[in-house]
């Protein structure tokens, strides 16, 4: 039974030259799990909002959205509010009230449901989502993952038939994100709930979907099963930017396809999961790889000169308060000039705290921190931050306080007492370097997540640092923005910048780091080049490595796996 | 141990208002002493025994301070004890000082218990019944404040790490703080858009909104409420009849000990010890269950 039907839906924002959504025709069957993907600015969010009457943007709309055969405009407001649920991106901003139980009841209160019934429905939902243990807590005390689960539960309590989610996991760490996605899968499977989900992180979600809609410049490029989409996207355009965001198995398949080799392997369906990818590799390439032929990758010996350590921590101990447990427990670390060093590790292990200590925001109570060979204590005033060290915090919004990006950049120059006359040129030069010239006169909060990240990076670079500290730089970014960020960091490295970043994103680390380190229990357990680092981890490694490790243990990125496949001769017996 | 706090917020509100009303406006020493001791015992029952000494170290000196202040400045009364700088320090002023001390400490203790028992959600629930919009606004404010504070903290750290707190002069600092604050306002408005979307998506604005709460008015709430109103009524009637009138100036009057007065003292005594009894009963029942297991 069809639950949603879009007929020739076109939408244009006021004063916009092009349509944000153009001529979309689409049928969603009841109980389907639909994943919508596309580059940022492709009209995904606009399309989702057109499906929810209360959130429909103002502008010029033609075409009709039918919900169970009735045009959306003709539905009465109660049906509309209750049966089409909508979950937004930011876990914090969606929460309205101060208590968990009140948040759960909020939607039902709005519908005017009597208290006794609210009590039952809220209780039922809290049990289903496992919220009962924090039912009476303040919403402010919850973790990000819990907050987003609460947002989902407080929509589900109204009994929706269709659930629409706009990048719900982009602000969550990978573990909380997987839990959230698993909950969605459970809702879809157990309750037959129809789900429309916009996501960047497709590794988990893509194989779960019944249908995938790929959007490009407001149009529906593809609407098909994941396997078909995985195959056809590459056929449409060999290096389609959306390919970057697809699961590693799909990327590998498409890399082979664009190389034009191994036609026999390509006649198989496109693998979607790590397991399918591993079977695919085993079937077509297994047994043809020489056991001993796998040498260590050349990048190992290059990297930076291992002579001059610019960040040096020697048995550093730190805790926030006297009675609290230690966060850093004898942390020792050396980052050499010109290298990109990546600290990986689970949530709440103290990675961010380590960055805070290195950036001088927190002081270690034992041990030594040396920046550029000088004890951090010896830096007077603001000298640590002048042409020396810069820190980009996790949330790029915290960096901006002016109405224009340009003024924010000038703020740094003002503090360093650069004459006004020279400021304009310096700002322009920086903007050009990181590719944000067209954004200089915009309000920082009007930018997309990826643009904010870039502009924030530009602002911290205004003080001409030689060491750059990054805290979760890929949080909330889509695959293309991540790729662009990776390129930018590469350029900075070329210029001699030392980069230390803390991240959850193993794929990003594998592609961009010279050395990776695992942070656990307040110290660094192992540090090595990515190829060795990930080859020695069994679980904490990239999806590409998990697929290919039986054949090529040192292949950690999709490109590396694809390259090794290409080097093999064609299969025989065609 | 919060057996008393489990009663319905309306009952609790009526209770606290009645005790505070009598404790503040009736100047009978028996009533005030029972208000003080009832409040002190209740406060102790709510506090961990480890903190009793710390609290005592605050209230006892405060009591003496209040008690001593009155005879130093008030020279009313007819029984001088001694002269200080040529001014008489009278017995009446001294006793009245002690009475004020009892009253002040009693009221503070009751207010402390009030703030422990009447948490924000209870308060909101009560006032939400009268002005539904207000209670939602208050709830949203309570949600927003910690978020705002956290973001402000993050911004100021980000600025420190950019070397932006370099300005030495006071006006520069002020300007810097001001611009951070303005940015925070912009940030809040930005976030409010999403909050508004989330509210609208969940049907806010549809007519006939109800107010849900976790509180239910049960039989035991009815019993406590009736007992409370009855005891307050008796006390007020007794006061109006002048049965408990007491004066300190010019000469300390005699305490009325007629059977009726004793009955009235008893009535208010029960009222002020009620929460303590409820707490003790709760604790005993709990001990009994544990023991039976």
């Amino acid at each position: 039974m069809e639950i949603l039907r879009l007929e020739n839906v076109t939408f244009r924002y006021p004063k916009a030259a092009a349509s944000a959504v153009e001529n979309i025709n689409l049928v969603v069957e009841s109980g389907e799990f639909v994943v919508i993907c596309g580059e940022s600015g492709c009209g995904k969010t606009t399309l989702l909002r057109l499906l929810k009457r209360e959130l429909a943007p103002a502008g010029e709309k033609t075409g009709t959205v039918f919900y169970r055969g009735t045009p959306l405009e003709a539905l009465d407001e109660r049906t509309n509010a209750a049966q089409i649920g909508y979950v937004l991106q930011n876990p914090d901003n969606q929460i309205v009230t101060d208590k968990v139980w009140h948040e759960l009841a909020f939607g039902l209160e709005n519908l005017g449901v009597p208290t006794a019934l609210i009590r039952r429905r809220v209780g039922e939902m809290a049990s289903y989502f496992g919220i009962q243990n924090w039912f009476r807590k303040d919403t402010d005390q919850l973790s990000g993952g819990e907050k987003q689960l609460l947002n989902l539960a407080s929509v589900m309590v109204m009994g929706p038939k269709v659930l629409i989610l706009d990048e719900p996991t982009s602000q969550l760490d990978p573990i909380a994100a997987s839990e959230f996605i698993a909950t969605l899968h459970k809702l879809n499977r157990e309750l037959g709930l129809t789900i429309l989900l916009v996501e960047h992180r497709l590794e988990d979600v893509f194989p779960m979907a019944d249908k995938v809609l790929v959007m490009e410049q407001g149009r529906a490029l593809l609407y098909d099963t994941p396997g078909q989409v995985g195959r056809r996207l590459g056929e449409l355009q060999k290096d389609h930017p959306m390919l970057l965001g697809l699961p590693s198995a799909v990327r590998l398949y498409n890399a082979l396809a664009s190389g034009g080799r191994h036609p026999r392997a390509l006649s198989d369906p496109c693998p979607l999961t790590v397991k399918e990818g591993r079977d695919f590799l085993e079937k077509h390439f297994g047994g043809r790889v020489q056991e001993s032929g796998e040498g260590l990758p050349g990048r190992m010996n290059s990297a930076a000169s291992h002579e001059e350590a610019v960040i040096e921590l020697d048995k550093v101990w730190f805790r926030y308060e006297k009675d609290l447990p230690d966060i850093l427990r004898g942390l020792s670390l050396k980052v050499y000039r010109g290298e990109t060093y990546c600290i990986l590790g689970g949530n709440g292990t103290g990675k961010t705290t380590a960055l805070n200590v290195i950036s001088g925001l927190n002081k270690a109570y034992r041990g030594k921190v040396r920046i550029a060979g000088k004890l951090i204590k010896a830096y007077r005033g603001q000298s640590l931050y002048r042409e020396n060290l810069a820190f980009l915090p996790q949330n790029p919004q915290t960096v901006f306080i002016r109405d224009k990006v340009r003024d924010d950049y000038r703020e740094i120059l003002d503090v360093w007492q650069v004459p006004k006359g020279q400021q304009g040129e310096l700002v322009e030069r920086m903007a050009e370097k990181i590719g944000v010239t067209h954004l200089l006169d915009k309000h920082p909060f009007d930018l997309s997540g990826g643009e904010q990240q870039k502009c924030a990076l530009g602002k911290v670079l205004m003080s001409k640092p030689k060491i750059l500290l990054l805290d979760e730089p890929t949080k909330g970014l889509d695959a293309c923005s991540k790729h662009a960020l990776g390129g930018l960091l590469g350029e900075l490295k070329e210029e001699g910048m030392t980069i230390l970043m803390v991240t959850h994103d193993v794929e990003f680390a594998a592609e961009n780091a010279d050395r990776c380190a695992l942070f656990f229990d307040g110290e660094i357990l192992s540090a090595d080049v990515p190829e060795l680092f990930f080859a020695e981890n069994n679980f904490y490694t990239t999806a590409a490595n998990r697929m290919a490790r039986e054949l090529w243990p040192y292949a950690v990125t999709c490109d590396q796996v694809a390259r090794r496949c290409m080097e093999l001769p064609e299969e025989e017996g065609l | 141990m919060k057996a008393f706090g489990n009663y319905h917020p309306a009952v609790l509100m009526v209770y606290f208002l009645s005790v505070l009303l009598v404790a503040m406006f009736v100047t009978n020493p028996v009533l005030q002493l029972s208000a003080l001791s009832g409040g002190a015992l209740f406060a102790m029952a709510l506090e961990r025994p480890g903190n009793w000494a710390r609290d005592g170290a605050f209230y006892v000196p405060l009591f003496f301070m209040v008690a001593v202040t009155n005879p130093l400045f008030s020279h009313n009364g007819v029984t001088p004890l001694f002269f200080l700088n040529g001014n008489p320090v009278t017995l009446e002023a001294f006793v009245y000082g002690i009475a004020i001390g009892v009253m002040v400490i009693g009221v503070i203790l009751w207010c402390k218990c009030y703030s422990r028992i009447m948490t924000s959600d209870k308060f909101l629930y009560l006032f939400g019944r009268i002005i539904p919009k207000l209670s939602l606004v208050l709830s949203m404010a309570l949600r927003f404040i910690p978020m705002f504070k956290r973001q402000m903290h993050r911004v100021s750290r980000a600025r420190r790490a950019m070397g932006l707190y370099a300005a030495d002069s006071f006006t520069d600092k002020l300007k810097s703080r001001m611009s951070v604050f303005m940015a925070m306002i912009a940030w809040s408005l930005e976030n409010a858009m999403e909050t508004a979307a989330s509210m609208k998506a969940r049907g806010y604005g549809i007519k006939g909104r109800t107010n849900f709460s976790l509180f239910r008015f049960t039989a035991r709430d009815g019993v406590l409420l009736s007992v409370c109103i009855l005891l307050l009524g008796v006390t007020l009637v007794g006061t109006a009849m002048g049965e408990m009138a007491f004066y300190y100036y010019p000469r300390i009057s005699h305490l009325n000990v007629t059977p009726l007065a004793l009955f009235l003292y008893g009535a208010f005594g029960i009222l002020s010890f009620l929460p303590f009894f409820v707490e003790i009963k709760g604790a005993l029942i709990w001990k009994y269950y544990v023991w039976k297991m």
Side-chain angles (χ1 to χ4, degrees), chain A residues 170-188:
Chain A
S170 70
Q171 300 299 315
L172 307 183
D173 65 83
I175 291 168
S178 318
E179 274 171 17
F180 187 85
I181 296 295
T183 310
L184 285 183
H185 198 202
K186 186 175 147 191
L187 286 171
N188 178 250

Side-chain angles (χ1 to χ4, degrees), chain B residues 280-293:
Chain B
I280 290 297
K281 195 181 131 212
L284 286 181
I285 288 176
W286 179 245
K287 287 255 162 62
Y288 177 67
Y289 276 129
V290 173
W291 174 72
K292 240 175 58 170
M293 280 192 281

Side-chain angles (χ1 to χ4, degrees), chain B residues 8-10 13-14 17 114 118 121-138 209-213:
Chain B
H8 193 269
M13 198 62 164
V14 169
L17 286 181
Y114 170 91
M118 291 296 282
D121 51 331
K122 291 179 188 167
F123 183 82
L124 285 179
Y125 163 73
L126 280 179
F127 287 87
R129 313 224 93 182
I130 308 165
I131 320 170
K133 281 258 166 60
L134 179 72
S135 91
L136 183 65
V137 169
L138 284 174
R209 189 172 195 279
T210 47
N211 263 299
F212 175 68
S213 78

Side-chain angles (χ1 to χ4, degrees), chain A residues 186-410:
Chain A
K186 186 175 147 191
L187 286 171
N188 178 250
R189 244 180 17 238
E190 292 180 0
L191 308 178
L193 183 70
T194 311
I195 295 178
L196 274 79
L197 170 70
V198 162
E199 257 299 334
H200 288 325
R201 227 179 314 202
L202 294 171
E203 196 76 48
D204 293 344
V205 171
F206 199 77
M208 272 179 206
D210 295 310
K211 290 272 183 64
V212 175
L213 170 67
V214 182
M215 288 185 68
E216 192 177 51
Q217 290 168 355
R219 293 171 177 277
L221 188 66
L222 289 169
Y223 182 52
D224 214 327
T225 60
Q228 281 300 315
V229 167
R231 177 192 282 268
R232 284 182 50 203
L233 191 59
E235 286 170 8
L236 282 176
Q237 190 187 336
K238 267 185 180 179
D239 52 346
H240 196 279
M242 259 318 292
L243 282 171
L244 284 174
L246 296 184
S248 301
V250 180
R251 288 173 63 188
L252 175 66
Y253 182 88
N254 277 292
L256 291 183
S258 70
R261 303 276 311 266
H262 307 293
R264 186 158 156 186
L266 294 172
S267 64
D268 272 3
C270 173
L272 301 176
T273 60
V274 167
K275 180 174 175 296
E276 288 171 15
R278 197 174 52 204
D279 292 348
F280 175 84
L281 286 174
E282 185 59 37
K283 181 176 165 194
H284 296 287
F285 305 100
R288 298 198 288 142
V289 181
Q290 291 125 339
E291 290 288 322
S292 58
E294 177 68 9
L296 291 186
R299 205 165 141 206
M300 285 219 49
N301 310 317
S302 72
S305 65
H306 278 206
E307 280 154 20
E308 193 190 347
V310 284
I311 302 175
E312 195 178 356
L313 271 69
D314 187 21
K315 296 189 196 71
V316 165
W317 291 72
F318 176 81
R319 61 174 88 133
Y320 280 97
E321 273 167 43
K322 192 171 140 262
D323 300 330
L324 292 179
D326 287 307
I327 308 285
L328 304 181
R329 309 167 63 85
L331 171 66
S332 294
L333 149 92
K334 269 186 186 169
V335 182
Y336 298 103
R337 180 171 298 285
E339 77 171 334
T340 302
Y341 191 100
C342 221
I343 300 181
L344 294 146
N347 236 16
T349 45
K351 302 191 304 289
T352 297
T353 308
L355 276 194
N356 287 340
V357 167
I358 296 170
S359 62
L361 286 174
N362 289 122
K363 306 258 177 296
Y365 72 89
R366 199 188 301 161
K368 289 194 174 74
V369 180
R370 279 193 185 84
I371 305 293
K374 190 167 153 188
L375 277 180
I376 198 162
K377 279 181 266 179
Y379 285 95
R380 292 277 159 252
Q382 306 295 320
S383 57
L384 178 62
Y385 307 115
R386 183 158 198 178
E387 298 187 10
N388 187 12
L389 176 142
F391 177 32
L392 182 62
Q394 199 175 104
N395 180 351
Q397 285 188 347
T398 55
V399 166
F400 302 111
I401 65 157
R402 296 291 156 89
D403 297 340
K404 282 181 189 169
V405 177
R406 184 189 302 277
D407 296 342
D408 261 308
Y409 283 19
R410 278 172 179 270

Side-chain angles (χ1 to χ4, degrees), chain A residues 93-94 109-110 140 411, chain B residues 150 159 195 198 209 212:
Chain A
N93 296 344
Q94 288 175 77
E109 286 182 326
N110 292 337
D140 194 62
E411 189 190 13
Chain B
R150 197 161 347 106
R159 293 178 67 72
T195 311
S198 141
R209 189 172 195 279
F212 175 68

Side-chain angles (χ1 to χ4, degrees), chain B residues 28-39 98 102-103 268 272-273:
Chain B
N28 184 298
V30 178
L31 260 50
Q32 297 203 320
L33 272 175
S34 58
L36 172 69
S37 37
I98 291 174
V102 167
M103 195 266 276
F268 185 72
S272 46
F273 282 91

